[in-house]
Amino acid sequence: MKEQVTAALSTIDPARVQRAVSIARLVGAVSAFALAMDPAIAQSLKQAGVNIFNALYAVVGVIGAIACLLTLLNWVTGNWLGRDDPKKIFFQALLGTALAFGVVAIIQFIKDMVGGSSSGVSNL
Protein backbone atom coordinates (compact mmCIF):
# COMPACT_ATOMS: atom_id res chain seq x y z
CA MET A 1 0.00 0.00 0.00
CA LYS A 2 2.78 2.37 0.97
CA GLU A 3 4.65 1.61 -2.25
CA GLN A 4 1.55 2.34 -4.34
CA VAL A 5 1.10 5.74 -2.69
CA THR A 6 4.78 6.53 -3.13
CA ALA A 7 4.65 5.51 -6.80
CA ALA A 8 1.53 7.60 -7.39
CA LEU A 9 3.06 10.65 -5.73
CA SER A 10 6.31 10.32 -7.69
CA THR A 11 4.43 10.63 -11.00
CA ILE A 12 3.01 14.06 -10.09
CA ASP A 13 4.67 16.90 -11.98
CA PRO A 14 5.20 19.88 -9.61
CA ALA A 15 5.11 22.39 -12.47
CA ARG A 16 1.69 21.15 -13.59
CA VAL A 17 0.38 21.28 -10.03
CA GLN A 18 1.65 24.84 -9.62
CA ARG A 19 0.07 25.83 -12.95
CA ALA A 20 -3.26 24.27 -11.91
CA VAL A 21 -3.20 26.10 -8.58
CA SER A 22 -2.48 29.38 -10.36
CA ILE A 23 -5.38 28.82 -12.75
CA ALA A 24 -7.68 27.94 -9.85
CA ARG A 25 -6.72 31.15 -8.06
CA LEU A 26 -7.34 33.18 -11.19
CA VAL A 27 -10.74 31.55 -11.74
CA GLY A 28 -11.64 32.20 -8.10
CA ALA A 29 -10.64 35.86 -8.31
CA VAL A 30 -12.52 36.41 -11.58
CA SER A 31 -15.66 34.72 -10.27
CA ALA A 32 -15.52 36.71 -7.01
CA PHE A 33 -15.18 39.90 -9.06
CA ALA A 34 -18.07 38.88 -11.31
CA LEU A 35 -20.24 38.08 -8.31
CA ALA A 36 -19.37 41.41 -6.71
CA MET A 37 -20.76 43.23 -9.73
CA ASP A 38 -24.28 42.16 -8.76
CA PRO A 39 -25.61 44.79 -6.30
CA ALA A 40 -27.33 42.26 -4.04
CA ILE A 41 -24.22 40.12 -3.72
CA ALA A 42 -22.03 43.21 -3.29
CA GLN A 43 -24.24 44.29 -0.40
CA SER A 44 -24.05 40.86 1.18
CA LEU A 45 -20.24 40.92 0.80
CA LYS A 46 -20.17 44.31 2.49
CA GLN A 47 -22.33 42.98 5.31
CA ALA A 48 -20.02 40.00 5.65
CA GLY A 49 -17.09 42.39 6.04
CA VAL A 50 -18.96 44.32 8.72
CA ASN A 51 -19.73 41.08 10.54
CA ILE A 52 -16.07 40.04 10.38
CA PHE A 53 -14.94 43.32 11.90
CA ASN A 54 -17.58 43.11 14.61
CA ALA A 55 -16.26 39.65 15.45
CA LEU A 56 -12.69 40.98 15.48
CA TYR A 57 -13.66 43.75 17.88
CA ALA A 58 -15.38 41.20 20.11
CA VAL A 59 -12.38 38.85 20.12
CA VAL A 60 -9.92 41.67 20.81
CA GLY A 61 -12.16 43.02 23.56
CA VAL A 62 -12.61 39.69 25.30
CA ILE A 63 -8.96 38.67 25.12
CA GLY A 64 -7.82 42.14 26.17
CA ALA A 65 -10.27 42.25 29.07
CA ILE A 66 -9.16 38.83 30.31
CA ALA A 67 -5.47 39.75 30.04
CA CYS A 68 -5.98 43.08 31.81
CA LEU A 69 -8.11 41.52 34.55
CA LEU A 70 -5.65 38.71 35.21
CA THR A 71 -2.65 41.02 35.30
CA LEU A 72 -4.49 43.49 37.56
CA LEU A 73 -5.42 40.67 39.93
CA ASN A 74 -1.81 39.50 39.82
CA TRP A 75 -0.65 43.01 40.75
CA VAL A 76 -3.17 43.44 43.56
CA THR A 77 -2.87 39.97 45.10
CA GLY A 78 0.88 39.74 45.29
CA ASN A 79 2.39 38.58 41.99
CA TRP A 80 1.20 34.95 41.91
CA LEU A 81 2.16 34.73 38.23
CA GLY A 82 5.77 34.93 39.39
CA ARG A 83 6.87 37.43 36.77
CA ASP A 84 9.27 40.32 37.31
CA ASP A 85 7.09 43.37 37.91
CA PRO A 86 3.30 42.92 38.12
CA LYS A 87 2.65 46.62 37.50
CA LYS A 88 4.73 46.50 34.31
CA ILE A 89 2.85 43.42 33.08
CA PHE A 90 -0.51 45.10 33.74
CA PHE A 91 0.43 48.20 31.77
CA GLN A 92 1.82 46.04 28.98
CA ALA A 93 -1.53 44.22 28.80
CA LEU A 94 -3.33 47.57 28.62
CA LEU A 95 -0.98 48.81 25.91
CA GLY A 96 -1.31 45.56 23.94
CA THR A 97 -5.10 45.73 24.07
CA ALA A 98 -5.06 49.37 22.97
CA LEU A 99 -2.71 48.55 20.09
CA ALA A 100 -4.90 45.64 18.99
CA PHE A 101 -7.98 47.88 18.97
CA GLY A 102 -6.00 50.50 17.06
CA VAL A 103 -4.88 48.04 14.39
CA VAL A 104 -8.42 46.75 13.86
CA ALA A 105 -9.74 50.34 13.70
CA ILE A 106 -7.10 51.35 11.14
CA ILE A 107 -7.85 48.32 8.97
CA GLN A 108 -11.57 49.05 9.17
CA PHE A 109 -10.97 52.71 8.28
CA ILE A 110 -8.95 51.72 5.22
CA LYS A 111 -11.62 49.18 4.23
CA ASP A 112 -14.34 51.81 4.52
CA MET A 113 -12.38 54.37 2.50
CA VAL A 114 -11.51 51.94 -0.28
CA GLY A 115 -14.87 50.17 -0.37
CA GLY A 116 -17.08 53.26 -0.49
CA SER A 117 -19.47 54.10 -3.31
CA SER A 118 -17.32 57.04 -4.38
CA SER A 119 -13.62 57.79 -4.25
CA GLY A 120 -12.10 56.85 -0.91
CA VAL A 121 -10.22 60.12 -0.55
CA SER A 122 -13.36 62.20 -1.07
CA ASN A 123 -14.99 60.38 1.85
CA LEU A 124 -12.49 61.94 4.24
Side-chain angles (χ1 to χ4, degrees), residues 41-56 111:
I41 293 182
Q43 185 63 31
S44 67
L45 288 174
K46 182 178 180 182
Q47 188 60 41
V50 170
N51 291 342
I52 289 170
F53 277 101
N54 288 341
L56 278 174
K111 179 189 72 73

Side-chain angles (χ1 to χ4, degrees), residues 42-124:
Q43 185 63 31
S44 67
L45 288 174
K46 182 178 180 182
Q47 188 60 41
V50 170
N51 291 342
I52 289 170
F53 277 101
N54 288 341
L56 278 174
Y57 278 122
V59 167
V60 167
V62 168
I63 291 173
I66 290 171
C68 291
L69 181 63
L70 283 176
T71 54
L72 179 64
L73 285 173
N74 179 50
W75 181 15
V76 172
T77 59
N79 197 15
W80 43 268
L81 285 176
R83 296 293 304 241
D84 298 332
D85 184 14
K87 181 170 56 172
K88 179 182 173 185
I89 297 171
F90 172 68
F91 285 117
Q92 286 176 344
L94 284 177
L95 179 64
T97 302
L99 286 174
F101 272 119
V103 167
V104 173
I106 288 170
I107 292 171
Q108 186 172 15
F109 175 76
I110 292 171
K111 179 189 72 73
D112 289 341
M113 289 301 105
V114 171
S117 60
S118 62
S119 172
V121 177
S122 68
N123 288 336
L124 294 175

Side-chain angles (χ1 to χ4, degrees), residues 2-14:
K2 185 177 179 182
E3 294 81 21
Q4 291 173 343
V5 171
T6 306
L9 288 176
S10 66
T11 61
I12 295 175
D13 183 19

